[in-house]
Amino acid sequence: MKLKSELSSFPTANKLLKFALIGLIGCLGLLCLYYGWSFGPGSRRSDEEASGSDGVDPLFGGFVLHHDLDDLHDDQEHNSEVPKSLPICDLRFSELIPCLDRNLIYQLRLKPNLTLMEHYERHCPPPERRYNCLIPPPLGYKIPIRWPASRDEVWKANIPHTHLAQEKSDQNWMVVNGDKINFPGGGTHFHDGADKYIVALSRMLKFPGDKFNNGGNIRNVLDVGCGVASFGAYLLSHDVIALSLAPNDVHENQIQFALERGIPSTLGILGTKRLTYPSRSFELAHCSRCRIDWLQRDGILLLELDRLLRPGGYFVYTSPEAYANDPENRRIWNAMYDLLKRMCWRVVTKKEQSVVWAKPLTNSCYLKRDSRTRPPLCDSKDDPDASWNVSMKACISRYTSKMHKEKGSGLAPWPQRLTAAPPRLEEIGVSPEEFQEDTNIWHFRVIEYWKQMKSVIQKNSIRNVMDMNSYLGGFAAALNEKDVWVMNVAPVHVSARLKIIYDRGLIGTVHDWCEAFSTYPRTYDLLHAWEVFSEIDERGCSTEDLLIEMDRILRPDGFAIIRDKPAVINYIRKFLTALKWDGWLSEVEPRVDALSSRDEGVLIARKKLWDEGTSVIYMLDAVLVHSPAWSKRMHRKRNVFSY
């Protein structure tokens, strides 16, 4: 108030100050507009739009992005095509998941079948609808609480949503406690805690020592409709890794809470498409009050679980249909029992609120069925491992003759299976010797990575890790002694390799890196990209788009390890300032090994946590993202990446 009164007594000074402020804002706006016009992040231009051999845009004066990254090293010294900054999205996009944005469905007037949950499946925006900007953290964002403390508490500012705590207050899901949210470990059907529930299930199944891993024979679990993933959190102490799965539905922040806690989890829905995992990936599937209509469409959702379960795999079902005696629940139970009997599943145990079914070990039961029995066996030409954008099928995936003869998957118990060559290697043409060599090479590579990061890694600062091109899972296997979990990603063109990941007792998913990944922003502490940029560039997709996507899913203070051709590394290093990753970095030329298909470089960079000043200064750029000039610019460009 004092300053205001003093300024009002000096009209001339007051006007000059106003003009200076207006001029400063105008200059900033013009500067942002220049960068917005001279470089549309991640965009490409067709040959017809380019004019002249120097690659200069005749209208805007901006440089056309190169498709051939091998030429970048020579060209960098002679042009300014790498931007100095990128605009920041509006704060309302701080939780944007580009391919799971339900607002987009309404805006594009799509007509998904709500009954079949199609509106919760992936719908990536067309190029002209993408946001070429960096996703900001919510106001007050803090570096996440470190594992293992994060299992039980997170910062409320990082996920400012408390409706789940209010709605599930009587079930011990989560409790708001000042500036934190606490997780007592409860669930809809295990109010007293997931730890006690897990022991009770182990006793039902007569597992030795009440340990859920059954002597190492149960390692991979799929938890469908997982809530905030407390079941998966407490399975970790049993040497069991659960892939906790839930959609971005009315409880839209379930998986966001789970990932913030440091629990292996992912967004997904049992709708119309197969889940993005190969057949025979899990020893056990779990549904605790997951509110799924398992009887719909001739049991197609149960048949999807059947595809994913290993021979003899369990389905743990904890729900009123398993124990309630009212007419409606009895009707559902009887119909479900009949369906699963026709699928050759058998009840292993049933006690109190839970029932456990088991899938057959061999094809024997299938072969004894009447040929007219529903559901039918899948056609022999059907590939049960195909999972990227593949529709579910209401049929039973039979075992190969080899698996039928061996009566099981032939896997060693955990942890031996991590390094033992799995039988399915021969299906992808890899020998046991090549598998072992791969394991050894990645063990050495990871040691070298950690040497480079040793000076800046804080204790327990890395928990959620993603290997963007997992190959045979060697990178994740090399991290087994560290207190981390790894989401192994098999690119679509090599999706068959993902079955080896699961056979090793690891988890992962299939994905096309020309599209955005199905996760919330700020969910991974470390991203490892081995030859990912070279691969997408060969397919005509954009390096810049992928870098912006990596920024979206990487936590502040998180690391990106990029291993690729020297030209790729050189270009990405120059792009770090625009990403605001211009703090600590390390760049080395690694030792040549049997996996080096070409000359390689390794770049390790750390993403900075923006301070409040950074957010305010760059937020002016957000106006450009929605301006007519920016929209016109983006319509003129050919974008491959859906964002």
Side-chain angles (χ1 to χ4, degrees):
M1 294 299 293
K2 183 179 180 181
L3 177 62
K4 183 176 180 180
S5 62
E6 288 178 353
L7 286 175
S8 62
S9 64
F10 297 99
T12 303
N14 192 14
K15 288 182 180 179
L16 288 173
L17 179 60
K18 288 182 179 179
F19 288 142
L21 288 172
I22 292 171
L24 177 61
I25 292 172
C27 290
L28 285 172
L30 289 172
L31 184 64
C32 295
L33 189 60
Y34 170 77
Y35 284 125
W37 275 356
S38 64
F39 183 85
S43 57
R44 297 179 181 276
R45 195 178 313 245
S46 64
D47 293 336
E48 293 78 25
E49 291 175 279
S51 177
S53 59
D54 57 358
V56 176
D57 186 317
L59 178 60
F60 294 99
F63 284 84
V64 179
L65 296 180
H66 287 261
H67 180 75
D68 187 357
L69 290 171
D70 288 321
D71 296 335
L72 285 173
H73 180 75
D74 294 333
D75 291 342
Q76 287 299 323
E77 303 302 324
H78 307 292
N79 65 43
S80 57
E81 68 177 72
V82 178
K84 292 182 174 62
S85 68
L86 292 169
I88 294 178
C89 297
D90 190 278
L91 268 176
R92 68 179 182 273
F93 298 115
S94 67
E95 295 174 349
L96 177 69
I97 311 172
C99 294
L100 294 176
D101 182 6
R102 288 196 299 281
N103 290 325
L104 180 74
I105 294 176
Y106 303 127
Q107 293 166 7
L108 297 181
R109 300 181 181 179
L110 304 179
K111 302 294 182 183
N113 189 320
L114 304 185
T115 304
L116 302 184
M117 304 297 174
E118 283 186 330
H119 53 306
Y120 294 140
E121 296 180 328
R122 286 174 60 87
H123 296 88
C124 294
E128 64 272 14
R129 305 287 305 193
R130 60 166 296 188
Y131 296 94
N132 290 275
C133 50
L134 304 180
I135 301 297
L139 294 176
Y141 181 87
K142 300 179 181 181
I143 297 300
I145 295 171
R146 302 306 185 190
W147 181 268
S150 63
R151 187 196 71 175
D152 302 323
E153 61 180 13
V154 300
W155 295 116
K156 184 173 70 175
N158 291 8
I159 311 178
H161 303 282
T162 58
H163 62 281
L164 265 181
Q166 297 164 359
E167 183 177 340
K168 304 293 183 180
S169 60
D170 61 333
Q171 299 171 13
N172 282 333
W173 276 35
M174 47 195 283
V175 178
V176 177
N177 183 14
D179 61 354
K180 294 179 179 177
I181 296 176
N182 297 115
F183 300 88
T188 305
H189 272 76
F190 41 90
H191 300 182
D192 295 331
D195 51 349
K196 295 181 178 64
Y197 172 67
I198 290 167
V199 169
L201 291 176
S202 301
R203 289 173 179 168
M204 283 178 61
L205 289 163
K206 297 181 172 58
F207 290 161
D210 298 336
K211 295 289 287 183
F212 202 78
N213 68 358
N214 189 25
N217 291 305
I218 289 185
R219 168 62 181 173
N220 296 346
V221 168
L222 179 65
D223 187 16
V224 182
C226 64
V228 292
S230 289
F231 179 68
Y234 285 87
L235 279 178
L236 292 169
S237 63
H238 290 250
D239 267 346
V240 172
I241 186 166
L243 183 58
S244 298
L245 182 78
N248 185 32
D249 61 6
V250 291
H251 296 152
E252 58 182 326
N253 305 100
Q254 298 174 100
I255 294 300
Q256 191 177 18
F257 279 117
L259 289 167
E260 184 75 10
R261 296 173 70 185
I263 301 168
S265 47
T266 189
L267 286 163
I269 181 71
L270 282 167
T272 67
K273 305 291 185 181
R274 284 179 173 177
L275 296 178
T276 52
Y277 323 121
S279 69
R280 307 189 298 279
S281 293
F282 302 94
E283 283 85 41
L284 185 144
H286 174 256
C287 161
S288 174
R289 190 66 169 176
C290 57
R291 297 185 179 277
I292 292 175
D293 178 10
W294 295 108
L295 297 173
Q296 64 174 282
R297 293 175 281 161
D298 300 319
I300 195 168
L301 304 185
L302 278 171
L303 290 162
E304 174 64 0
L305 285 190
D306 183 88
R307 181 183 73 87
L308 295 173
L309 282 175
R310 299 193 192 278
Y314 297 105
F315 176 45
V316 178
Y317 187 56
T318 302
S319 191
E321 295 86 353
Y323 63 84
N325 289 314
D326 60 279
E328 179 60 16
N329 279 313
R330 287 299 87 199
R331 180 194 68 80
I332 296 173
W333 165 258
N334 291 332
M336 208 167 159
Y337 181 87
D338 178 64
L339 170 62
L340 288 170
K341 185 178 180 181
R342 285 183 275 117
M343 289 170 55
C344 292
W345 289 21
R346 62 183 178 87
V347 174
V348 177
T349 181
K350 186 174 184 290
K351 185 178 180 180
E352 297 174 350
Q353 61 182 7
S354 301
V355 60
V356 182
W357 277 282
K359 181 182 174 181
L361 277 169
T362 69
N363 290 328
S364 298
C365 175
Y366 305 144
L367 300 175
K368 293 176 183 177
R369 301 189 322 158
D370 186 284
S371 59
R372 295 167 293 180
T373 302
R374 312 295 294 179
L377 297 178
C378 294
D379 189 279
S380 59
K381 296 180 181 179
D382 177 64
D383 179 5
D385 295 328
S387 62
W388 181 254
N389 201 27
V390 176
S391 296
M392 290 182 186
K393 299 177 182 179
C395 59
I396 300 171
S397 300
R398 71 189 88 189
Y399 303 129
T400 63
S401 57
K402 182 178 180 180
M403 293 186 69
H404 171 71
K405 183 178 179 181
E406 294 181 351
K407 297 184 179 181
S409 299
L411 297 177
W414 178 266
Q416 289 85 350
R417 73 170 61 170
L418 181 66
T419 53
R424 289 201 279 186
L425 273 177
E426 63 179 331
E427 296 180 18
I428 62 169
V430 175
S431 70
E433 293 75 22
E434 291 171 322
F435 173 82
Q436 194 59 55
E437 183 178 35
D438 179 86
T439 299
N440 295 337
I441 288 173
W442 280 110
H443 178 76
F444 174 81
R445 286 184 172 189
V446 167
I447 289 175
E448 293 302 305
Y449 291 158
W450 250 252
K451 284 181 180 178
Q452 291 182 63
M453 298 187 292
K454 183 179 180 180
S455 63
V456 289
I457 289 184
Q458 299 178 7
K459 184 178 180 181
N460 297 330
S461 61
I462 294 178
R463 172 62 184 170
N464 302 350
V465 178
M466 177 185 287
D467 189 4
M468 298 169 65
N469 179 16
S470 55
Y471 190 48
L472 301 177
F475 174 78
L479 290 173
N480 185 55
E481 297 302 318
K482 301 184 183 296
D483 208 357
V484 304
W485 68 274
V486 181
M487 176 62 77
N488 292 279
V489 179
V492 175
H493 69 290
V494 288
S495 61
R497 295 172 182 167
L498 191 60
K499 67 182 77 172
I500 306 304
I501 304 293
Y502 277 94
D503 287 354
R504 300 185 76 168
L506 305 169
I507 60 172
T509 186
V510 177
H511 182 64
D512 183 349
W513 283 115
C514 290
E515 298 180 0
F517 193 81
S518 293
T519 193
Y520 288 88
R522 303 170 302 278
T523 46
Y524 286 91
D525 301 299
L526 174 65
L527 303 177
H528 177 246
W530 175 45
E531 298 186 343
V532 175
F533 287 92
S534 292
E535 190 272 325
I536 66 156
D537 185 70
E538 289 171 2
R539 295 172 54 206
C541 300
S542 168
T543 294
E544 297 79 14
D545 289 331
L546 183 52
L547 285 168
I548 292 172
E549 171 65 357
M550 290 172 68
D551 178 83
R552 185 184 72 86
I553 66 180
L554 188 63
R555 284 172 167 175
D557 268 6
F559 293 87
I561 303 176
I562 301 168
R563 189 183 194 105
D564 217 308
K565 295 188 297 184
V568 175
I569 297 298
N570 182 59
Y571 178 65
I572 291 174
R573 176 171 46 80
K574 295 175 181 294
F575 203 88
L576 296 182
T577 300
L579 290 172
K580 307 180 194 1
W581 294 9
D582 49 353
W584 180 89
L585 65 87
S586 172
E587 184 177 357
V588 299
E589 183 178 334
R591 187 182 72 174
V592 175
D593 54 43
L595 293 180
S596 304
S597 59
R598 56 171 74 92
D599 290 339
E600 290 182 333
V602 172
L603 175 68
I604 306 179
R606 182 171 61 181
K607 177 179 176 179
K608 293 194 302 186
L609 173 63
W610 302 347
D611 56 32
E612 297 297 330
T614 301
S615 298
V616 170
I617 291 173
Y618 286 101
M619 202 60 70
L620 288 169
D621 289 354
V623 177
L624 292 174
V625 177
H626 304 287
S627 71
W630 180 274
S631 299
K632 181 179 179 182
R633 168 82 166 163
M634 295 315 297
H635 274 288
R636 291 184 68 254
K637 288 175 172 275
R638 177 175 61 86
N639 266 303
V640 179
F641 188 93
S642 297
Y643 195 71

